[in-house]
Every structure is written in C-alpha cells, then in structure tokens.
C-alpha cells in the first residue's frame, strides 16, 4: 500500500457543453469529498486564456473552498508570481491565512502559466516577467509576511500571517532555489517527467535548514486516473491527452468527451507525443495504479504525492480518488 500522504491538484476543468460555473461547483464537490476521504491537501492551479480551465483566480477559489470544507489544507499549485505584484499576493494569502489559520498553502510558480500576450495583459508591464526577476520578487513576497526587512509598506493582512510557502517547478531552477531557501518543493512530474529525478536531486543537494524546514520535503505531482479496469481508465484518460495535444498546437478548448477523444484520428507523431507524456504516470485499475505509484515513490523518494485527475465527468473524477483512497492507500488518515 502507498503510505505517504496523498493530496489533490485540481484545474476546475470545463467540460464540453458545460459552463465555468458548473466546473467550479464540481471542484467544490471534489474538495468536500476528498476531505472526507482523508486526502492531506487540495490545491488549485493558476492558468489563463484557456477555455478548458476555470481556476484562473486561485485566491478567490480557495476562499470559496475553505468556506465549504473544514480540515483539509488548501493552496495554490500555484500562484504564478510573474503575473502579480508580490504585495497583492501577500495580501490575498494573508487574508486567507487570517480567515483560515493553519490551513493555507502558498505554492509559487516561476512561469506565467499562459502565453506572453496574456501575461502582459495581467502584469501590464514587461518588468518582472523574466526568470531573472523571480528570486527578488519571491524575497519581497516572503518579507511581506515576515517583516524581516523593515520598509515603508506593511501588508495587512499579510505581516505576521503564516501560510506555508512552497516553490513549484518543472526543471532545476526552482528546485535549487527552494533548497537554498529551505522551503518545501513540489515537482510537476505530471508534465515534465524527464526532469523529475535531476530536479529532486538538485533540491536535496542544495537544501539548507531554515526556520521553515529542518530537512528537505519534496512532493511529486502525478497524473492519476483510477477506474475498475485498466481499459476504462484508459478510456477516461482520453480527453486529457486530446486536451494537451490541442493546447500544444495552439487550439485550446473545453475538455472533450471520452467518445470524442476515442474517435480522434491521431497521427503517429501525435500518438508518440501522448505516449511520452504518459510515461511515469498512474493510470489503470487499483492494482495497476498501486504498482505505478509505488514505482514512482521508489524512484523519487517523495515525501508526498499530489494526484491530478483530468477526466470529463465529475463522478468519474470523484470515483478515481475514492478507489485510490480505499484500494491503493488502504484508507487515508489525515494528520491533525
């Protein structure tokens, strides 16, 4: 059985024929159910200009989810710092932490999570959009919470609040920075599996104990689709593969139905692209998913796994987490 904490990453997917409002209600339903099942934390990801993803405003969505749950940790996976002034992020997550102390995670990403035109529309200036500015802006953000470098601005709420700050990454840059700062690190194995092991090694090698952590703490995010049989899981996962393919070709849209995905005429190049993206992920019956997640844990030594399940129907999404909780993890128990 999988014996590390299991958590959830959700994108509030907008299914074909549905609305963003329905997508957000489904995410709320999923947060409540995964809390009941004992999942450790529930994160939502910031994306923009994507018709199939409704989690564009993590702080707003997290406030709603916190009001509809009571114990599960809630956070951003992540807030993409280049899109925002650090003061705004500090005030938003300071507010969340003040309202729901001890439950809020602030996961920070270095990429904009969208195209450059949209990123510019969000930020309204090119300043801060480059990777070089990220460490400085991260330091400014953290200082708004700690007040270690006194200045003319006090974030209220913000100063003195303690959301758990994480760095997110899909390569070595954030891994090394998280280690140097002594922060927990979450790696995006679900879309950058070829870089997982080098990034985790770099994080652990770079780690310096801090007031945040005495030892490195690494979480790995992985695609997971669990169903009663391998065949059904494969069918349910079809829309996710097609969505990724359309995104990469500049044609993002709502999440297709499984039947539409199954009927799509993949070229050999497209099939190879999908095959590569599925390597190292977890998809199948409970027995298959248990084996796949166990292999991932053995390779990575992850302290926690974060599962993301992008399927068309919310009932299948919920069912996947139920099967993993009961038959892969042997029943989950949340700390605290």
């Amino acid at each position: 059985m999988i014996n590390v904490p299991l958590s959830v990453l959700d994108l509030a997917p907008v299914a074909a024929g549905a609305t963003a409002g329905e997508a957000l209600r489904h995410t709320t339903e999923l947060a409540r159910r995964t809390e009941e099942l004992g999942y450790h934390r529930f994160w939502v990801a910031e994306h923009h200009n994507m018709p199939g993803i409704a989690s564009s405003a993590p702080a707003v969505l997290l406030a709603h989810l916190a009001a509809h749950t009571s114990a599960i940790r809630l956070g951003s996976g992540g807030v993409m710092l280049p899109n925002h002034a650090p003061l705004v992020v500090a005030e938003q997550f300071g507010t969340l932490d003040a309202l729901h102390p001890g439950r809020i995670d602030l996961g920070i990403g270095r990429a904009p999570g969208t195209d450059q035109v949209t990123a510019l529309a969000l930020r309204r200036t090119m300043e801060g959009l480059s990777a070089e500015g990220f460490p400085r802006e991260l330091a400014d953000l953290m200082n708004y919470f700690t007040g270690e470098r006194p200045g003319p601005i006090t974030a209220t709420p913000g100063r003195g609040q303690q959301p758990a700050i994480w760095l997110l990454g899909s390569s070595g840059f954030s891994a090394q920075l998280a280690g140097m700062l002594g922060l927990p690190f979450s790696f995006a194995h679900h879309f950058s599996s070829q870089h997982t092991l080098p990034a985790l090694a770099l994080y652990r090698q770079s780690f310096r104990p801090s007031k945040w952590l005495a030892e490195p703490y690494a979480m790995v995010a992985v695609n997971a689709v669990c169903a009663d049989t391998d065949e059904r899981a494969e069918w349910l996962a079809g829309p996710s593969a097609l969505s990724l393919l359309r995104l990469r070709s500049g044609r993002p849209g709502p999440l297709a139905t499984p039947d539409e995905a199954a009927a799509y005429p993949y070229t050999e190049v497209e099939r190879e692209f999908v095959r590569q993206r599925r390597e190292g992920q977890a998809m199948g019956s409970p027995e298959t998913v248990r084996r796949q997640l166990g292999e991932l844990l053995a390779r990575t030594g992850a302290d926690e796994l974060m599962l993301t399940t992008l399927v068309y129907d919310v009932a299948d999404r919920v069912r996947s987490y139920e099967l993993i909780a009961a038959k892969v993890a042997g029943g989950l128990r949340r700390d605290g």
Side-chain angles (χ1 to χ4, degrees):
M1 291 292 179
I2 302 301
N3 58 7
V4 301
L6 295 183
S7 294
V8 179
L9 172 64
D10 196 67
L11 305 182
V14 182
T19 66
E22 289 171 313
L24 294 170
R25 286 191 288 274
H26 291 160
T27 288
T28 306
E29 176 186 341
L30 183 65
R32 286 196 295 253
R33 182 60 181 138
T34 51
E35 176 177 66
E36 293 170 353
L37 292 169
Y39 283 85
H40 185 53
R41 63 184 97 235
F42 190 101
W43 283 7
V44 295
E46 177 185 349
H47 292 283
H48 300 278
N49 197 26
M50 296 185 185
I53 296 177
S55 56
S56 57
V60 178
L61 180 52
L62 291 172
H64 175 78
L65 297 178
H68 287 80
T69 55
S70 60
I72 194 169
R73 292 195 67 91
L74 298 165
S76 56
V79 162
M80 314 316 286
L81 192 55
N83 296 338
H84 312 284
L87 176 59
V88 171
V89 178
E91 291 175 337
Q92 290 175 345
F93 279 78
T95 300
L96 287 169
D97 185 69
L99 290 169
H100 306 281
R103 293 185 61 200
I104 302 301
D105 298 328
L106 172 52
I108 295 292
R110 181 171 64 97
T114 187
D115 59 88
Q116 286 295 308
V117 173
T118 306
L120 183 58
L122 286 161
R123 188 72 181 225
R124 297 194 298 173
T125 174
M126 291 301 294
E127 185 178 354
L129 289 176
S130 67
E132 291 74 16
F134 179 75
R136 182 188 67 253
E137 297 216 327
L138 177 63
D140 290 343
L141 170 62
M142 295 173 69
N143 187 63
Y144 283 125
F145 292 119
T146 65
E148 290 177 348
R149 291 183 288 109
I153 300 173
T154 299
T156 307
R159 176 76 62 85
Q161 302 302 143
Q162 294 294 322
I165 298 176
W166 289 67
L167 284 193
L168 281 56
S170 57
S171 63
F173 182 96
S174 291
Q176 185 174 30
L177 184 59
M180 293 171 62
L181 296 175
L183 294 173
F185 177 60
S186 179
F187 188 81
H189 178 79
H190 57 305
F191 64 80
S192 187
S193 60
Q194 70 273 27
H195 296 126
T196 303
L197 296 183
L200 292 178
L202 187 58
Y203 169 60
R204 292 168 178 139
Q205 292 163 7
S206 305
F207 187 84
R208 301 172 186 170
S210 69
K211 66 179 180 181
W212 314 104
L213 279 180
E215 298 178 345
Y217 191 93
M219 179 164 66
V220 172
V222 55
N223 286 308
V225 179
C226 191
D228 292 314
T229 65
D230 289 349
E231 292 74 19
R232 178 163 178 80
E234 177 75 23
W235 186 73
L236 291 175
S240 174
L242 182 56
S243 178
L244 182 61
L245 187 64
R246 286 173 169 171
L247 177 63
R248 284 304 179 93
S249 61
R251 298 177 291 114
L255 193 63
T257 67
D259 285 330
E260 180 185 353
Y264 181 82
Y266 285 94
T267 67
E268 287 303 314
V269 171
E270 290 171 336
R271 289 188 187 280
E272 178 59 19
F273 171 78
V274 170
R275 186 196 66 76
Q276 290 178 358
R277 295 308 293 261
R278 286 183 173 178
E279 283 185 353
Q281 310 301 314
M283 183 188 308
S285 66
E287 295 76 16
T288 299
V289 169
R290 186 188 311 121
R291 173 179 54 79
Q292 292 168 333
L293 292 182
E295 291 171 351
L296 180 62
L297 278 175
R299 291 196 307 272
T300 64
D303 300 290
E304 184 173 341
L305 294 178
M306 176 163 274
L307 313 179
T308 182
T309 303
L310 190 61
V311 298
Y312 178 80
D313 194 301
V314 67
D316 291 314
R317 207 147 109 238
V318 170
R319 175 65 173 162
S320 179
Y321 287 108
E322 289 174 340
L323 286 172
I324 290 173
K327 297 187 177 184
V328 175
L332 292 169
R333 295 292 183 270
R334 189 186 308 104
D335 295 337

